[in-house]
Amino acid sequence: AVKCFPHQTEHQNRSTRTLGKHSPTQMQSIQPPLTAAADAVAGSLFSTAVLLLILIGSISAIFSPALAVKFLTGLSRPNLFFGTITIQCTVLFFWYRAYLKPLYATSRPGSIYVTRMASALALTMQQIIISLLISGPLRVIFVGKDPLGLISSLRWRIREIDAKILQVRPPVYRVRGSGRELTIPLRDGAETAATLYSPQTKDGRYDDSPRPVVLIRTPYSRRSLTRWGIRFAERGYHLVSQDTRGRFGSTGEFFPMLNEATDGAATVEWIEKQPWCDGRVGMTGVSYLGLCAWAAMREQVPALKAVAPVFAATDLYNVMFGRGSGAAHVELLFRWSHLVMHLMRKPYGMLEAIPNFFMGTGKNLQSAYTHAPLKEADTKFLCPDCEPIEWFQDGFNFPNGDEPFWQDKRKFVDFSAMRTIPPVLLFCGWYDFFCTEQLHDFQAVSDLSDDCRLVVGPYTHWHVLAMQPKLFRSLFDFFDMHLLQDPVVMSLPKVQVFQLGKELGWKKMASWPPRNVQVKKMVLVLETDGSKSIVEDGEHNFEEKELSYVYDPAHPTPQIGGSTFNPSDCGRVAQNKIENRSDIVVFTSKPLEEDMTIAGEIKVHLQVESNVEGTDYVARACHVTNDRTSVNIAEGIVRRFNLRPGRRTKIELTLSPVMNRFAAGDRFRLHVCSSAFPKYGRHLNTRESFHLEVAKNAMLSEQVLFVGGENGCSILVPVLP
């Protein structure tokens, strides 16, 4: 039963003195499927409430059009109200699709999928109803009054159900959903807009008593963090959500990550001086918001007591350019640029940007992926009526990572230069493009500090709902210990990782990568019957042979699933439909005789020969189950411009980290090709830098792989004994 909910973990009891009295039922550590089904029913009831609200709005329109307008717009914030609903409905659509897919390589009863999907729908529906209540329509209906305390009771019940779904401790304080507006000055005179969420006193006023403060800085509108503010405030924190420089209500000019270190430090210093702060500040955030949390550590402000970056790493260059190989993550750069450029456009920036982003921005985005030179894509496709975007152009003009442009942007924090490192919690997902560098950050911090924790789940960058239970349990435990300083809260395990494949579930470990891992060498061979196999080193006497494939930039090899920035095509996805392509070479092992667990980074050593001076090499590891379904578990890319045609060359690739268990009878598979499109931009097979090359110069390339023998292609696989 526990396997139905892989995000569940034990949850410690709380101090009744510090956090209020909670019943054993409320603090139950593991939620069984039947309870989850009950929550799903509760979610359905809330969806009925949404329909009732719409019905009430329609009826009110008959008697008072003005009242109906106020009802539907949520007081005076139509963009916030409709923007929130648009986001929720869009996420619901893609989440519904994602939940029907087998996210993990295992055979599961259909009833488990139904339960899992029902839980997701319940979580979504309660978020929609919260958005509706926050926007204030019910208060308008009752002319600003709360007859018999119905609205207050309903809000509290919603918060209790929210805690049950997340499996966190129940709320202790009531919280106003609107928050208070703040203006926070920066060191150069710029002013940033922020919202402060605080607990309420018994008489309904804001509680300004000194408390720990959680800070989240965002370029996507501080109002998008309302639920975060409520969840933290109702558990005894103040939470400040802040628009970063040049975004929404903040002055100044926005340039990604240029000012986040100094601005973040200045904000922490300002918060520390406020009477409602007790001198302890923590930072967290997902994606760019997590990058802001990392960056604020650089100046070592004493008040910054704990940092929890989620889906964020300190080396942005390696994330954007294929682990430093120079292969640009074009899908990430283009999609994110489109989102950032359009969110603030008037009058319906959010209404346009969010649906367009999730729907793929249509032909414009696809045209941008295939356009050459790539550096023209911002003004031709992503934002045709805009001037060239400085940071977009700079990213392409300096692709090597050692240019002056990257000096203050490539590595946000130099841990070795820090006198003290605050406690750190890193939360990431196996199929998130930040994962590789985030695990490197964990290793770097762990070498210098004993207070660093790691959680790695089966998530993509877009598992917004799936990760919430595990995420908020981890965040509350982490901040309760280091900010609330609750003596009863037990420390989080050093490492928690979710094992994929057979025996799905969370595993506690002392380190990452595991200390007892053993490296197994495997070699790629060509059998006498023409099959391409993977065998253990020393168990073969195959002669060296040659295999070849042709890569055509006009028809690049597609990327399916994996660590992409495409919410509708990411994660653990069946690869069978591309494995018959002539531009992919597929090697497969014999059925395994016993279970095998891979834990760490797979390294692929290719012996190649090319007829061009520049091209890409892509390797992808897959798990083939006994029903012949092949799913991706790790991938890597290397971009080369200095090949010598006709000369044999060694290419080394390090794949993304993974923990995957193969059952006896399963097979290990490896793809070798020269494209992962559109995640990475096409290599046109020339020596010219990829962002300047024009399409007319593209050429075909023939790649030869040397397999078998003593010096053929090989794989180093980290295996747990």
Side-chain angles (χ1 to χ4, degrees):
V2 175
K3 291 183 180 179
C4 298
F5 298 89
H7 53 264
Q8 295 173 347
T9 185
E10 63 273 10
H11 193 278
Q12 298 81 21
N13 289 328
R14 307 295 183 176
S15 167
T16 55
R17 177 182 59 79
T18 306
L19 303 174
K21 186 177 181 180
H22 308 134
S23 68
T25 302
Q26 290 172 318
M27 300 309 299
Q28 192 173 4
S29 60
I30 298 295
Q31 185 181 27
L34 289 179
T35 305
D39 285 342
V41 172
S44 300
L45 294 177
F46 279 115
S47 66
T48 304
V50 173
L51 296 177
L52 287 175
L53 287 173
I54 297 174
L55 178 62
I56 294 171
S58 302
I59 295 174
S60 65
I62 299 175
F63 300 100
S64 173
L67 182 62
V69 170
K70 287 186 178 181
F71 174 85
L72 292 174
T73 57
L75 292 178
S76 61
R77 296 178 182 173
N79 198 44
L80 170 62
F81 177 74
F82 286 116
T84 303
I85 296 303
T86 299
I87 293 172
Q88 295 289 357
C89 291
T90 306
V91 170
L92 174 60
F93 171 73
F94 284 100
W95 181 243
Y96 176 81
R97 288 182 56 185
Y99 246 64
L100 291 180
K101 294 180 179 179
L103 298 179
Y104 319 121
T106 184
S107 298
R108 286 174 168 271
S111 59
I112 294 179
Y113 280 110
V114 172
T115 304
R116 191 194 304 170
M117 184 179 67
S119 299
L121 291 175
L123 182 58
T124 301
M125 287 305 175
Q126 64 88 19
Q127 288 187 330
I128 292 177
I129 192 68
I130 290 169
S131 301
L132 288 164
L133 292 177
I134 288 172
S135 300
L138 285 179
R139 292 190 177 188
V140 175
I141 292 176
F142 294 114
V143 199
K145 297 181 180 180
D146 185 3
L148 304 179
L150 292 178
I151 298 176
S152 178
S153 298
L154 180 59
R155 281 176 176 263
W156 187 253
R157 179 55 183 158
I158 290 172
R159 303 315 307 156
E160 290 180 331
I161 292 178
D162 180 67
K164 284 189 63 179
I165 293 174
L166 295 178
Q167 300 171 42
V168 297
R169 57 187 174 88
V172 179
Y173 302 93
R174 296 184 184 273
V175 179
R176 291 186 183 179
S178 56
R180 289 174 285 177
E181 298 305 310
L182 304 174
T183 299
I184 301 178
L186 302 178
R187 294 170 182 172
D188 62 354
E191 295 184 337
T192 58
T195 302
L196 172 64
Y197 299 90
S198 303
Q200 283 183 231
T201 60
K202 292 183 178 179
D203 57 2
R205 294 181 293 106
Y206 290 110
D207 185 350
D208 285 332
S209 59
R211 296 177 180 275
V213 180
V214 175
L215 169 64
I216 307 179
R217 309 184 65 248
T218 176
Y220 309 126
S221 175
R222 65 192 185 280
R223 301 192 188 283
S224 64
L225 296 168
T226 298
R227 278 189 296 279
W228 285 67
I230 292 174
R231 285 171 176 167
F232 274 93
E234 65 191 8
R235 289 168 177 82
Y237 298 89
H238 296 295
L239 184 137
V240 174
S241 60
Q242 179 190 36
D243 290 332
T244 56
R245 175 188 296 263
R247 300 295 292 173
F248 294 90
S250 298
T251 64
E253 182 179 355
F254 176 71
F255 194 106
M257 297 312 301
L258 180 62
N259 300 293
E260 306 305 1
T262 55
D263 290 355
T267 302
V268 172
E269 292 172 342
W270 184 88
I271 290 174
E272 182 188 14
K273 298 175 183 177
Q274 305 311 304
W276 36 266
C277 177
D278 67 356
R280 290 169 289 182
V281 180
M283 289 190 69
T284 186
V286 181
S287 194
Y288 191 98
L289 290 63
L291 300 181
C292 292
W294 274 125
M297 291 176 58
R298 182 188 299 176
E299 296 196 16
Q300 304 180 66
V301 180
L304 187 57
K305 303 296 186 182
V307 179
V310 181
F311 294 174
T314 62
D315 195 327
L316 188 58
Y317 174 81
N318 277 357
V319 173
M320 291 178 57
F321 289 91
R323 206 166 187 174
S325 70
H329 192 162
V330 168
E331 185 179 58
L332 168 61
L333 183 58
F334 284 13
R335 279 181 171 271
W336 188 82
S337 298
H338 181 275
L339 178 67
V340 171
M341 286 188 291
H342 287 267
L343 269 179
M344 293 177 59
R345 303 191 74 181
K346 303 296 183 181
Y348 303 112
M350 184 175 293
L351 295 179
E352 295 176 357
I354 299 298
N356 282 344
F357 177 84
F358 280 96
M359 299 303 178
T361 66
K363 295 181 180 179
N364 278 355
L365 188 59
Q366 299 304 319
S367 299
Y369 291 153
T370 56
H371 182 71
L374 285 172
K375 65 176 298 182
E376 296 177 351
D378 56 343
T379 56
K380 286 196 173 184
F381 301 104
L382 302 182
C383 190
D385 55 347
C386 298
E387 294 294 324
I389 304 167
E390 182 181 358
W391 44 266
F392 183 93
Q393 295 295 321
D394 287 344
F396 277 123
N397 287 333
F398 307 109
N400 298 324
D402 55 1
E403 299 91 345
F405 167 78
W406 289 104
Q407 182 174 354
D408 297 325
K409 306 178 190 69
R410 173 165 184 167
K411 192 73 174 177
F412 306 143
V413 186
D414 181 2
F415 300 116
S416 62
M418 297 181 67
R419 297 185 302 275
T420 58
I421 299 177
V424 175
L425 167 66
L426 296 93
F427 193 99
C428 52
W430 291 126
Y431 292 98
D432 178 47
F433 44 83
F434 280 112
C435 182
T436 298
E437 295 306 319
Q438 202 165 358
L439 292 181
H440 292 171
D441 288 333
F442 169 74
Q443 295 174 46
V445 176
S446 296
D447 289 342
L448 302 170
S449 170
D450 293 331
D451 205 342
C452 183
R453 300 292 182 264
L454 174 67
V455 179
V456 190
Y459 313 121
T460 72
H461 202 75
W462 297 107
H463 275 151
V464 179
L465 299 180
M467 72 177 182
Q468 286 200 19
K470 184 67 174 180
L471 172 61
F472 279 97
R473 284 199 306 274
S474 301
L475 290 177
F476 289 148
D477 284 348
F478 178 69
F479 285 129
D480 286 356
M481 168 167 285
H482 297 292
L483 297 185
L484 286 182
Q485 298 181 336
D486 182 358
V488 176
V489 176
M490 297 176 61
S491 177
L492 287 168
K494 180 73 173 179
V495 177
Q496 299 176 74
V497 298
F498 190 91
Q499 179 174 281
L500 303 172
K502 182 186 177 182
E503 298 178 5
L504 288 170
W506 291 98
K507 307 293 182 182
K508 297 179 182 179
M509 310 180 76
S511 65
W512 182 267
R515 295 191 179 96
N516 61 336
V517 72
Q518 299 175 357
V519 178
K520 178 183 294 187
K521 184 177 180 180
M522 300 180 177
V523 295
L524 309 182
V525 300
L526 180 62
E527 305 267 10
T528 55
D529 61 359
S531 60
K532 296 174 279 291
S533 300
I534 302 174
V535 300
E536 290 195 28
D537 188 34
E539 296 183 1
H540 78 94
N541 55 359
F542 295 95
E543 297 181 356
E544 184 175 283
K545 296 182 180 180
E546 298 179 5
L547 291 170
S548 65
Y549 65 92
V550 175
Y551 161 57
D552 181 1
H555 303 283
T557 314
Q559 166 97 13
I560 300 179
S563 55
T564 71
F565 199 51
N566 183 348
S568 63
D569 185 18
C570 57
R572 197 177 180 94
V573 178
Q575 304 291 307
N576 302 74
K577 62 183 178 181
I578 66 169
E579 291 179 342
N580 291 327
R581 289 178 60 104
S582 61
D583 54 0
I584 297 182
V585 182
V586 179
F587 298 89
T588 308
S589 72
K590 302 294 183 184
L592 299 175
E593 296 180 356
E594 57 184 16
D595 290 0
M596 178 180 74
T597 301
I598 297 177
E601 298 178 341
I602 300 170
K603 298 184 183 297
V604 179
H605 296 166
L606 300 179
Q607 294 287 337
V608 304
E609 181 182 304
S610 179
N611 67 331
V612 295
E613 294 180 289
T615 195
D616 287 343
Y617 293 95
V618 176
R620 182 179 299 110
C622 297
H623 179 170
V624 183
T625 54
N626 54 15
D627 63 357
R628 299 184 182 277
T629 300
S630 173
V631 293
N632 53 309
I633 62 173
E635 60 192 26
I637 187 171
V638 165
R639 173 156 291 188
R640 297 294 294 269
F641 290 102
N642 58 350
L643 296 174
R644 302 180 66 180
R647 295 286 188 91
R648 183 164 171 166
T649 304
K650 183 177 181 180
I651 302 293
E652 297 184 358
L653 300 97
T654 302
L655 308 193
S656 50
V658 68
M659 184 167 181
N660 188 94
R661 187 169 182 82
F662 294 74
D666 291 348
R667 301 168 187 256
F668 177 67
R669 177 168 289 175
L670 184 75
H671 298 175
V672 178
C673 56
S674 289
S675 174
F677 181 82
K679 177 180 178 179
Y680 295 106
R682 301 172 302 157
H683 200 308
L684 301 184
N685 294 326
T686 69
R687 284 182 60 89
E688 184 66 72
S689 184
F690 68 94
H691 67 290
L692 298 174
E693 187 60 279
V694 295
K696 68 178 182 180
N697 294 334
M699 62 180 71
L700 298 176
S701 67
E702 182 180 11
Q703 310 300 332
V704 178
L705 302 177
F706 297 93
V707 298
E710 295 183 0
N711 299 307
C713 299
S714 62
I715 316 171
L716 300 179
V717 183
V719 177
L720 287 177

